[in-house]
Amino acid sequence: MQLSIGIVGATGYTGFELLQLIHRHPQARVAWATSESSAGKRMSELYPTPDETRLVRFADAPLHKADVIFLCLPHAASMDAVARVRSADVRAIDLSADFRLPDPSVYRRWYKHEHTQPHLLAEAVYGLCEVNREQIREAALIGNPGCYPTTVNLGLWPLAKARVLGPRIIVDAKSGISGAGRKLRLSSHFVEANENLTPYNIGYAHRHIAEMELILGPHAPGLDVTFSPHLIPVNRGILSTIYIDVDPTLSEQAVRDLYADAYADEPFMHLLPPGQVATLRHATYTNRCAVGLTPLPKPGRWVVTVSEDNLLKGASGQAVQNMNIMFGLEETAGLI
Amino acid sequence: MQLSIGIVGATGYTGFELLQLIHRHPQARVAWATSESSAGKRMSELYPTPDETRLVRFADAPLHKADVIFLCLPHAASMDAVARVRSADVRAIDLSADFRLPDPSVYRRWYKHEHTQPHLLAEAVYGLCEVNREQIREAALIGNPGCYPTTVNLGLWPLAKARVLGPRIIVDAKSGISGAGRKLRLSSHFVEANENLTPYNIGYAHRHIAEMELILGPHAPGLDVTFSPHLIPVNRGILSTIYIDVDPTLSEQAVRDLYADAYADEPFMHLLPPGQVATLRHATYTNRCAVGLTPLPKPGRWVVTVSEDNLLKGASGQAVQNMNIMFGLEETAGLI
Amino acid sequence: MQLSIGIVGATGYTGFELLQLIHRHPQARVAWATSESSAGKRMSELYPTPDETRLVRFADAPLHKADVIFLCLPHAASMDAVARVRSADVRAIDLSADFRLPDPSVYRRWYKHEHTQPHLLAEAVYGLCEVNREQIREAALIGNPGCYPTTVNLGLWPLAKARVLGPRIIVDAKSGISGAGRKLRLSSHFVEANENLTPYNIGYAHRHIAEMELILGPHAPGLDVTFSPHLIPVNRGILSTIYIDVDPTLSEQAVRDLYADAYADEPFMHLLPPGQVATLRHATYTNRCAVGLTPLPKPGRWVVTVSEDNLLKGASGQAVQNMNIMFGLEETAGLI
Amino acid sequence: MQLSIGIVGATGYTGFELLQLIHRHPQARVAWATSESSAGKRMSELYPTPDETRLVRFADAPLHKADVIFLCLPHAASMDAVARVRSADVRAIDLSADFRLPDPSVYRRWYKHEHTQPHLLAEAVYGLCEVNREQIREAALIGNPGCYPTTVNLGLWPLAKARVLGPRIIVDAKSGISGAGRKLRLSSHFVEANENLTPYNIGYAHRHIAEMELILGPHAPGLDVTFSPHLIPVNRGILSTIYIDVDPTLSEQAVRDLYADAYADEPFMHLLPPGQVATLRHATYTNRCAVGLTPLPKPGRWVVTVSEDNLLKGASGQAVQNMNIMFGLEETAGLI
């Protein structure tokens, strides 16, 4: 099978990463890619790459020539674009937050505006591959997970599923600067970010908590997440250090077994042996998610360290993984 | 007044930093500096500096020519060297951990070996300037605080002093690579550390907790600290993100007032206004300690962000501050 | 003596650096500092600093309350501001390029616009301290040298003065990102600059060559400079690798002696011994300029490596050095 | 076709990179990998990777089970290992310098010791794919090119081939720290290398010049190369800024045409359009070599900027490219 791919919004970091992944994919090729601000230009004019893909406006993109369309647009801007894609009856993988939360009122509460396509929310599947694989196979519309929530959800899923996860969770997350996008802002200026470390948006309920509640909440009654992101001076990668309580009657081995069972056949989950912690380098430039389990001296307390590449497993890599599942391809195709 | 300074162990990062601070200090000059491995060499052969200080062996150092001697030796190696300095009746500022914990049995428990100079522990003062200033003035021997504990102790001291700090404390600390010293090890290799982030020594009771118990423990019954250090790819600086509970009956303003009162006249404490968090850059290349106070949505929960330069306020800068206090100099002399 | 200082344009990197230098200077204090875009704000709102200096508009600055005024404005914008300062009969140190080139037609040729204050050019002194110290003492107006030319001029001055420098010079210069300023631009975005190295503006006659011709030209007939700047992923510092020909009848020692003589009493020139090359770290966070001399196998060919901190010796540090000379202070005051 | 691969010396940076490339290659698989110091361990114990390849001693490696063997050993250590591989009649790709220079006396002159396998030099082919592709097809033994020379040779080959390259060449090269290997040394310590830039081994005839003479020398009589390498604070990548003279009667377009012709069908050569320069990011994490051509104002003078990933096109990537050519595979297999 050779899939034709459309990419809406190809000039940001996730769009460019996606384009490179598709070029490398043995069963997919780029049919078209869009940009409103750079229509008419080639990618080689925007990035240091020989990629000569010429960008078109979304309005000019031949939707029907694509087997699947990826949308890399900002939150809120994506809703109506997805609707257009679905009206053309093309399957869509949306990398924004617009189709991650099934309940429009939950969306409104966290994102502070009305969802214009509530009927499409009904058909959307939250594309966390290791958790929702079966629904993804049949999905016409994927809400591709956020980068931070993917680390937390994959890092705690085996415990939640087994209903042994305590409700109080502290996530101290650290992200490379590409997570803030290619837009110019002082906090992404080299001289400001380099040799620095910056907590940001701490102290209140961060939007990303919504996706943690979506996946973990049903299995961890009273879930109560404190989420503190930090910017670190690296290009790529997220490491989340997660402080949790687990049913103290479980032995250390029993906890490890829950993870081993849950992720036994997962090609991208890298479960670390006892004594090892996840580092950024376990995951960067791969689609992997590394998980380290560290018990604390007091029974029932654990630190879970989780890392991923924010542009791959945290965004475009997981999007391609979703595509592979949707079209019955080898799940790792183009991702190793 | 012009003080003559001896430095024992001048070739590590803290020793070199100290040497530079003394060169810059208006009322101090370097009398001699020692190194066992590089005796006979000049500092300019070891560092990219025009500093032509020639290193001597400790055994050859004219102790009595110094008004005060700084020791930058590894833990355990410092005890006997300090004893020699004190026998010569010269005041000493020890940057190792050997004279930080007054109780030799506590020292043995955390550092796994016997203290050979328990009588000197009796006279030693823990040199956390903002807390122990009065005792420092008269001290003949200072145990200069550790870098990590300084962030935690200064970040929580106003709450502990007011006895409103809850016992459960989670410290997610991030340190630049100079904190691991100049010794060659794979984790400090550029290619391994750069574009990486590494939790280390997590999951058990880290030695640095001893100093937190020393300062905060008496004021926070049942103190229970989880301490998770991480290596980040910067040269200098520590940022601690501290998750605490505070007496929930205190208003946000009341909490802030405790800090404002405690640090009103402290030249090196930089208390940040509401809405701001400490970043590395608030502190690096200065002797300052920056503190940001962020309330969480649930009453009584706070995140305290604290930053310092690990080589300055976390080591050599605080050592000079201690010297300034001991000799009645302007406390900021040579430090701004 | 206690000098009162005015700073025009305090919010860029050179302005902020200057402000910090003055705060640290034992014989100077900031009287006022200006910003058009941030008037009314305090520095602590713009930088991670406790500096509470409140910014005023230039039009509101009490010029006469300053003994000397530093101007950190962009090229072309500085000319008329300097004129206002000189009309108020206050001495001025201008960090822009507007008063570096004495001949208005030369200025026009390189900077592509007319000089509006040609009469002031007549009184301006090019503030390369090690070369023009005597004129600086009496100067009312200093054109503070550019960062790149300072490395080349100080790196080659002893040879030019002795008239043994061949005309063909290739300068391969590497600069930290702060040299591009705090303005937001894609090339200064962390993700673009980090893990990257970018030649820029190569292939044509770069403006900075004008200052090299100013200092070296009169002593090296037919001077023919190729200048290739590169952006490197560090915050601060410039290293220039300079390929030159020297009169081949001079022995290696004779060449070294020219430098030793020229810089014998210079507190900020760090002449490296044979076998050593300048590195960035020789100079960053200091006002020093380090120079390494490396002969090539073929007689008469040398590589000169020169480093400085672009914000200190390359800008604000040299500006303070100029102030110290102008007012008869210790030349190193506030700079070590 | 499915090739079985042996890797000798798999634990250094080039060995590990090669292992990853083979894992990703659609027509190759790792049969065995060796390490003397880490025999018995798995790669996952040495690197942050899920790669469970277990290392054996070279003496225990089943040579005959491999279709081709890559050797990633230090210079001088590789000669005899290659001889053993060739005795077993297995094709070899040697990443050391031992089989790059066909003349044993030239080898002795640059590497300061005797070549023990001069008869094998006769059959060895210098594996610069874009230049020697035809010989590589039939080769039993490849001397894989050095990282620095590859940038210079590919950057200048079209001019040399056309015999329009002037003899005097200045190469100002900048390399990421992985080029210095994983061995612990002070110059690779994070704190020493970060925020620094270090020229090294400048001023004398560097070994790498031998490979430039090998490729360019026959076409550029009197070739006279000055080569100045610098360490820059990035993990990967080399950028060479090359100052050359070209026959001044050639128009700018004629020079560009030479490159366009020479590299028209080369999948890994990225020839940049007029006005663009090569940056590290054009090449890192790819097997590409990017070339920018910049004329200087004076006729016949050019600056050529060339970049590559030192671990890919500069080492393991080119080694795989050689394998692809030797076995008649798609030349880009496993490399995009």
Side-chain angles (χ1 to χ4, degrees), chain A residues 279-304:
Chain A
T279 70
L280 270 199
R281 207 64 78 71
H282 278 94
T284 45
Y285 295 97
T286 81
N287 195 50
R288 287 195 285 267
C289 176
V291 180
L293 302 171
T294 307
L296 289 172
K298 296 217 176 157
R301 286 190 189 163
W302 290 73
V303 181
V304 182

Short mmCIF file of all heavy atoms in Angstrom, two decimals, chain A residues 279-304:
data_model
loop_
_atom_site.label_atom_id
_atom_site.label_comp_id
_atom_site.label_asym_id
_atom_site.label_seq_id
_atom_site.Cartn_x
_atom_site.Cartn_y
_atom_site.Cartn_z
N THR A 279 16.19 9.11 31.12
CA THR A 279 16.85 10.38 30.83
C THR A 279 16.31 10.85 29.47
O THR A 279 15.72 10.06 28.73
CB THR A 279 18.37 10.21 30.73
OG1 THR A 279 18.70 9.46 29.54
CG2 THR A 279 18.93 9.47 31.94
N LEU A 280 16.54 12.09 29.16
CA LEU A 280 16.09 12.60 27.85
C LEU A 280 16.64 11.75 26.73
O LEU A 280 15.96 11.43 25.77
CB LEU A 280 16.59 14.03 27.62
CG LEU A 280 15.74 15.20 28.07
CD1 LEU A 280 16.21 16.43 27.33
CD2 LEU A 280 14.27 14.96 27.86
N ARG A 281 17.90 11.40 26.85
CA ARG A 281 18.60 10.73 25.75
C ARG A 281 18.07 9.32 25.48
O ARG A 281 18.33 8.76 24.42
CB ARG A 281 20.09 10.69 26.05
CG ARG A 281 20.97 10.63 24.82
CD ARG A 281 20.86 11.87 23.95
NE ARG A 281 21.60 12.97 24.50
CZ ARG A 281 22.93 13.03 24.52
NH1 ARG A 281 23.65 12.08 23.98
NH2 ARG A 281 23.54 14.06 25.05
N HIS A 282 17.33 8.76 26.42
CA HIS A 282 16.68 7.49 26.13
C HIS A 282 15.67 7.63 24.99
O HIS A 282 15.30 6.63 24.36
CB HIS A 282 15.93 6.96 27.36
CG HIS A 282 16.80 6.24 28.35
ND1 HIS A 282 17.36 6.86 29.43
CD2 HIS A 282 17.21 4.95 28.41
CE1 HIS A 282 18.06 5.98 30.14
NE2 HIS A 282 18.00 4.82 29.53
N ALA A 283 15.20 8.83 24.76
CA ALA A 283 14.05 8.99 23.88
C ALA A 283 14.26 9.92 22.70
O ALA A 283 13.61 9.77 21.67
CB ALA A 283 12.86 9.48 24.70
N THR A 284 15.16 10.90 22.83
CA THR A 284 15.25 11.90 21.76
C THR A 284 15.67 11.27 20.44
O THR A 284 16.46 10.35 20.41
CB THR A 284 16.21 13.04 22.14
OG1 THR A 284 17.40 12.50 22.70
CG2 THR A 284 15.57 13.96 23.16
N TYR A 285 15.14 11.80 19.39
CA TYR A 285 15.34 11.31 18.01
C TYR A 285 14.82 9.89 17.82
O TYR A 285 15.25 9.20 16.90
CB TYR A 285 16.82 11.43 17.59
CG TYR A 285 17.27 12.86 17.52
CD1 TYR A 285 17.93 13.46 18.58
CD2 TYR A 285 16.94 13.64 16.42
CE1 TYR A 285 18.30 14.80 18.54
CE2 TYR A 285 17.31 14.97 16.35
CZ TYR A 285 17.99 15.54 17.42
OH TYR A 285 18.34 16.87 17.36
N THR A 286 13.90 9.47 18.69
CA THR A 286 13.21 8.20 18.50
C THR A 286 11.74 8.42 18.83
O THR A 286 11.37 9.44 19.41
CB THR A 286 13.72 7.09 19.46
OG1 THR A 286 13.09 7.25 20.74
CG2 THR A 286 15.22 7.12 19.63
N ASN A 287 10.91 7.44 18.48
CA ASN A 287 9.49 7.51 18.85
C ASN A 287 9.23 6.81 20.19
O ASN A 287 8.10 6.54 20.55
CB ASN A 287 8.63 6.86 17.76
CG ASN A 287 7.16 7.21 17.90
OD1 ASN A 287 6.81 8.37 18.04
ND2 ASN A 287 6.29 6.19 17.90
N ARG A 288 10.29 6.53 20.93
CA ARG A 288 10.12 5.76 22.16
C ARG A 288 9.68 6.62 23.35
O ARG A 288 9.93 7.82 23.40
CB ARG A 288 11.45 5.09 22.51
CG ARG A 288 11.78 3.93 21.61
CD ARG A 288 12.88 3.06 22.19
NE ARG A 288 14.19 3.67 22.07
CZ ARG A 288 15.05 3.46 21.07
NH1 ARG A 288 14.74 2.66 20.08
NH2 ARG A 288 16.22 4.05 21.07
N CYS A 289 9.09 5.94 24.29
CA CYS A 289 8.78 6.52 25.59
C CYS A 289 9.48 5.63 26.63
O CYS A 289 9.19 4.43 26.70
CB CYS A 289 7.27 6.53 25.80
SG CYS A 289 6.78 7.11 27.44
N ALA A 290 10.41 6.21 27.37
CA ALA A 290 11.17 5.45 28.37
C ALA A 290 10.55 5.68 29.74
O ALA A 290 10.17 6.80 30.08
CB ALA A 290 12.63 5.87 28.37
N VAL A 291 10.47 4.61 30.53
CA VAL A 291 9.85 4.70 31.86
C VAL A 291 10.75 4.03 32.88
O VAL A 291 11.14 2.87 32.72
CB VAL A 291 8.47 4.00 31.88
CG1 VAL A 291 7.85 4.09 33.27
CG2 VAL A 291 7.54 4.61 30.84
N GLY A 292 11.10 4.79 33.91
CA GLY A 292 11.88 4.25 35.03
C GLY A 292 11.03 4.26 36.29
O GLY A 292 10.30 5.23 36.54
N LEU A 293 11.13 3.22 37.08
CA LEU A 293 10.32 3.08 38.30
C LEU A 293 11.26 3.07 39.49
O LEU A 293 12.10 2.18 39.61
CB LEU A 293 9.53 1.78 38.25
CG LEU A 293 8.59 1.60 37.07
CD1 LEU A 293 8.05 0.17 37.02
CD2 LEU A 293 7.45 2.60 37.13
N THR A 294 11.10 4.04 40.37
CA THR A 294 11.99 4.13 41.52
C THR A 294 11.17 4.17 42.80
O THR A 294 10.45 5.15 43.05
CB THR A 294 12.86 5.40 41.42
OG1 THR A 294 13.51 5.42 40.15
CG2 THR A 294 13.90 5.42 42.52
N PRO A 295 11.26 3.14 43.63
CA PRO A 295 10.54 3.18 44.90
C PRO A 295 11.27 4.09 45.89
O PRO A 295 12.49 4.17 45.89
CB PRO A 295 10.59 1.73 45.38
CG PRO A 295 11.80 1.15 44.73
CD PRO A 295 12.03 1.90 43.45
N LEU A 296 10.51 4.79 46.71
CA LEU A 296 11.10 5.60 47.78
C LEU A 296 11.15 4.76 49.05
O LEU A 296 10.51 3.70 49.14
CB LEU A 296 10.26 6.86 47.98
CG LEU A 296 10.38 7.87 46.84
CD1 LEU A 296 9.36 9.01 47.01
CD2 LEU A 296 11.79 8.47 46.81
N PRO A 297 11.92 5.21 50.02
CA PRO A 297 12.04 4.39 51.25
C PRO A 297 10.69 4.08 51.90
O PRO A 297 10.47 2.97 52.35
CB PRO A 297 12.92 5.26 52.15
CG PRO A 297 13.73 6.09 51.20
CD PRO A 297 12.82 6.36 50.05
N LYS A 298 9.78 5.04 51.94
CA LYS A 298 8.50 4.77 52.59
C LYS A 298 7.61 3.94 51.68
O LYS A 298 7.40 4.32 50.52
CB LYS A 298 7.79 6.09 52.94
CG LYS A 298 8.57 6.89 53.95
CD LYS A 298 7.68 7.61 54.95
CE LYS A 298 8.58 8.31 55.97
NZ LYS A 298 7.96 9.43 56.66
N PRO A 299 7.06 2.85 52.18
CA PRO A 299 6.24 1.97 51.35
C PRO A 299 5.12 2.72 50.65
O PRO A 299 4.45 3.57 51.25
CB PRO A 299 5.67 0.96 52.37
CG PRO A 299 6.61 1.00 53.51
CD PRO A 299 7.16 2.39 53.57
N GLY A 300 4.93 2.39 49.38
CA GLY A 300 3.83 2.98 48.64
C GLY A 300 4.18 4.27 47.93
O GLY A 300 3.40 4.76 47.13
N ARG A 301 5.37 4.81 48.19
CA ARG A 301 5.77 6.02 47.49
C ARG A 301 6.72 5.67 46.35
O ARG A 301 7.70 4.95 46.57
CB ARG A 301 6.49 6.98 48.42
CG ARG A 301 5.60 7.68 49.40
CD ARG A 301 6.42 8.76 50.09
NE ARG A 301 5.69 9.33 51.19
CZ ARG A 301 6.28 10.04 52.15
NH1 ARG A 301 7.59 10.24 52.13
NH2 ARG A 301 5.56 10.55 53.13
N TRP A 302 6.46 6.22 45.20
CA TRP A 302 7.31 5.97 44.03
C TRP A 302 7.60 7.27 43.30
O TRP A 302 6.82 8.22 43.35
CB TRP A 302 6.60 5.02 43.05
CG TRP A 302 6.47 3.60 43.53
CD1 TRP A 302 5.62 3.14 44.50
CD2 TRP A 302 7.22 2.47 43.08
NE1 TRP A 302 5.79 1.78 44.68
CE2 TRP A 302 6.76 1.34 43.80
CE3 TRP A 302 8.21 2.29 42.12
CZ2 TRP A 302 7.27 0.06 43.61
CZ3 TRP A 302 8.71 1.01 41.90
CH2 TRP A 302 8.26 -0.09 42.66
N VAL A 303 8.74 7.26 42.63
CA VAL A 303 9.02 8.31 41.65
C VAL A 303 9.07 7.62 40.29
O VAL A 303 9.84 6.67 40.10
CB VAL A 303 10.37 9.02 41.91
CG1 VAL A 303 10.59 10.10 40.87
CG2 VAL A 303 10.40 9.61 43.31
N VAL A 304 8.26 8.09 39.37
CA VAL A 304 8.27 7.54 38.01
C VAL A 304 8.91 8.58 37.10
O VAL A 304 8.48 9.74 37.08
CB VAL A 304 6.85 7.20 37.53
CG1 VAL A 304 6.89 6.58 36.14
CG2 VAL A 304 6.16 6.26 38.52
#
